[in-house]
Amino acid sequence: MERIQVMVCAGTGCTIGNSGELIELFKEEIRSIGLQDEVSVLKTGCLGLCGFGPNICIYPDNIIYKSVKPEDVKEIVMEHFYKGRPVTRLMLNESDEVSKEILDINHTKFYEKQKRIALHNCGVIDPENIEEYIGKDGYAALGKALTEMSPQEVVDEIKASGLRGRGGGGFPTGVKWQAALNQPGDEKYVICNADEGDPGAFMDRSILEGNPHSILEAMAIAGYAIGAHHGYIYIRAEYPIAVERLETAISQAKELGLLGDNIFGTGFNFDLEIRLGAGAFVCGEETALIQSIQGERGMPIPKPPFPAERGVWGKPTIINNVETYANLTQIILNGADWFKSIGTETSPGTKVFALGGKITNTGLVEVPMGTTLREIIYEIGGGCPNRKEFKAVQTGGPSGGCLTEEQLDTPIGFDELIKLGSMMGSGGMIVLDEDNCMVDVARFYMDFIVDESCGKCTPCRVGTKRLLEILEKICNGEGTLDLLDELETLSHTIKDTALCGLGQSAPNPVLSTLEHFKDEYIAHVVDKKCPAGICKALLEYKVNPEKCRKCGLCARQCPVSAISGAVGKETYHIDMEKCIKCGNCIKACHFEAIERK
């Protein structure tokens, strides 16, 4: 009789960490002591703790082991599975500090404030086994919609739930569906936007890797609601694991009659196909995505008409991103009132964030809307590592902005973040600490935007390039106060005149850093200094004579012979005219005698 399930994370992060080898090692070790009938080993989706992978979860104990290495497998099998004693040194949270009672994952700081709706089943089921998905109420929502609800009732339920698009814009999903339903004709389309391109964002990928059937089921429901019989999943080719699991899921669903003709004997037909994107950031914009599906260059087109009126192949089309679809089955099963009871009045439900940057617990978190940034960063994320001071958090990726310590108590919601000059975006959340230069951060995002601009409109094609040039001048110590004024004016011009939403939001990182960190810009252009010590052109290296041991290690490591002195006789000196600021001398010095200012 099976008494233990070992769920090994097989998401991209843990797979890179060789979780596949762990699966085989666990099976081998379990067989060696005769527990193969009592302990099963399965792959699963992302458990959220991406910074500590490979991770495994043990059911029914509900314990997570983090950073598991091949040499840990035998100990876990012998101690936990055979002797019944969890290996506390590998646990996410060893025990309650007062009672010393071993806690399950739901009572750890990382998980206790989370609520998984979009991420349901990730870390719980084998994503490549449709029977496990069905065993967790999979395809029950589709069955309910097809047999108990009319298309209008499905749309009404989604409208009543208040679900807003999780792809960045936050547009009411039900309103979009209603517009498509109202369009005449029997040829309509449903599209899933899985072209996740924000730096540091991996929410959609993890959902597809850990619970692909939830997206297929939701798209079939959407097709029924608007009268569509065909759908496309547009996913970037850089997501091979997600693509493979989607292909497996589609094949399994067709085999069981859950996709294809006459689903559930209702006469409703719906089929899906995958379209691979080449990784263009602009194809995350819905009209550019449509152009790409049609085999054309991915470039936005003016709206109206909106895709719900005239989309792919000129037919009515709805486009939602992965996370939006991941909420749908739960809304149909549990009702609109249940969903609205979570989150805030204007932003119901939960939001998945990819928490990264200077944060202790890097990974995926899903929290109810209304949770504050402070709770996510300090209570779930564990704050900045190495006792560094928090400086800012970038939300919304290249289209978002930076928020400061004073704004961390803001409840998370679509409208609330926009009021602060940032945005929810698809859910990227990059934490920055005292060692980050905010001018350099703005330069990084603008470099990304310039590289990814489709070039169709002048404000984005030329304007963002000019913004990048100004930021590079400032970082190189060539900035002036007049350039700062030009930077701000140009940013507002681009925001007002660019063709698509991506171009209009492109200056956000510049505007938000100018607003909250103007002093750093001033230091760069007036004092010619980078307070964070990041911008190379503004750095200066000096040898502290009181700490210098005259050993000559620094000089031997300098690739351009910019350091002079005599071993044991005189303090070494750095010639800044020759110095290329590579930092090799600092690494070589064991006495912290070289200072970078």
Side-chain angles (χ1 to χ4, degrees), residues 7 50 102 120 123 158 339 345 357 443-444 464 472 480 490 532 540 566 591:
M7 307 301 293
C50 305
I102 293 175
H120 77 283
I158 300 305
F339 190 75
E345 184 176 353
R443 184 207 56 77
F444 166 81
T464 56
E472 287 177 337
T480 64
L490 182 55
E540 184 175 329
F591 310 104

Side-chain angles (χ1 to χ4, degrees), residues 548-570:
C548 181
R549 295 295 184 270
K550 306 173 185 177
C551 63
L553 280 175
C554 57
R556 288 197 291 272
Q557 293 300 318
C558 181
V560 292
S561 301
I563 303 177
S564 59
V567 176
K569 295 182 178 179
E570 60 181 0

Side-chain angles (χ1 to χ4, degrees), residues 144 157 329-339:
K144 178 181 178 180
E157 191 75 5
T329 59
Q330 301 301 297
I331 293 172
I332 296 297
L333 286 177
N334 299 300
D337 289 340
W338 165 80
F339 190 75

Side-chain angles (χ1 to χ4, degrees), residues 11 15 81 92 96 110 122 130 239 251 274 313 355 361 409 419 421 449 457 467 499 537:
T15 298
F81 306 160
L92 168 61
D96 178 83
F110 184 76
C122 290
I130 191 172
Y239 285 178
S251 176
I274 297 172
W313 316 122
L355 191 58
N361 298 326
D409 293 313
K419 288 177 183 176
I449 290 292
C457 72
L467 284 181
L499 171 63

Side-chain angles (χ1 to χ4, degrees), residues 232-488:
Y232 296 100
I233 301 175
Y234 186 89
I235 180 171
R236 50 182 48 223
E238 294 99 322
Y239 285 178
I241 295 177
V243 171
E244 181 182 345
R245 289 182 186 161
L246 278 172
E247 290 172 341
T248 300
I250 291 173
S251 176
Q252 291 174 343
K254 286 181 177 179
E255 187 176 340
L256 294 184
L258 298 170
L259 285 178
D261 297 334
N262 195 26
I263 300 173
F264 286 119
T266 61
F268 173 64
N269 306 325
F270 188 79
D271 210 347
L272 281 170
E273 64 179 282
I274 297 172
R275 289 293 176 92
L276 297 181
F281 177 68
V282 74
C283 284
E285 198 277 337
E286 57 183 8
T287 61
L289 184 153
I290 288 172
Q291 299 298 306
S292 182
I293 285 179
Q294 295 176 161
E296 302 167 13
R297 183 177 176 184
M299 301 176 77
I301 59 175
K303 295 181 287 188
F306 294 94
E309 305 166 282
R310 182 179 175 84
V312 71
W313 316 122
K315 304 298 181 180
T317 304
I318 58 170
I319 303 177
N320 293 110
N321 87 316
V322 172
E323 188 183 341
T324 308
Y325 282 120
N327 283 279
L328 289 174
T329 59
Q330 301 301 297
I331 293 172
I332 296 297
L333 286 177
N334 299 300
D337 289 340
W338 165 80
F339 190 75
K340 287 187 71 174
S341 70
I342 304 165
T344 68
E345 184 176 353
T346 57
S347 298
T350 61
K351 183 70 188 80
V352 182
F353 291 99
L355 191 58
K358 306 293 185 64
I359 192 75
T360 300
N361 298 326
T362 301
L364 282 186
V365 302
E366 182 174 2
V367 295
M369 296 283 197
T371 304
T372 66
L373 289 165
R374 189 178 302 278
E375 289 176 286
I376 294 176
I377 293 169
Y378 286 99
E379 296 183 34
I380 298 174
C384 298
N386 304 317
R387 298 182 180 179
K388 294 290 185 177
E389 184 178 340
F390 169 88
K391 179 179 276 189
V393 58
Q394 171 86 11
T395 65
S399 303
C402 294
L403 303 176
T404 64
E405 173 78 32
E406 291 72 25
Q407 298 164 315
L408 290 187
D409 293 313
T410 301
I412 289 174
F414 290 100
D415 306 322
E416 288 79 1
L417 291 180
I418 288 175
K419 288 177 183 176
L420 295 177
S422 187
M423 63 186 297
M424 185 87 71
S426 59
M429 186 176 288
I430 310 297
V431 178
L432 309 171
D433 68 11
E434 60 188 84
D435 292 334
N436 287 105
C437 169
M438 301 311 295
V439 184
D440 182 65
V441 167
R443 184 207 56 77
F444 166 81
Y445 281 111
M446 197 50 55
D447 184 56
F448 177 85
I449 290 292
V450 168
D451 191 51
E452 294 291 342
S453 172
C454 75
K456 185 173 184 177
C457 72
T458 303
C460 187
R461 182 182 69 250
V462 179
T464 56
K465 177 66 174 175
R466 178 60 180 153
L467 284 181
L468 177 60
E469 290 171 354
I470 294 173
L471 289 168
E472 287 177 337
K473 282 186 177 182
I474 294 172
C475 289
N476 289 332
E478 301 167 4
T480 64
L481 291 175
D482 288 340
L483 274 182
L484 285 188
D485 294 336
E486 183 180 342
L487 189 68
E488 186 168 4

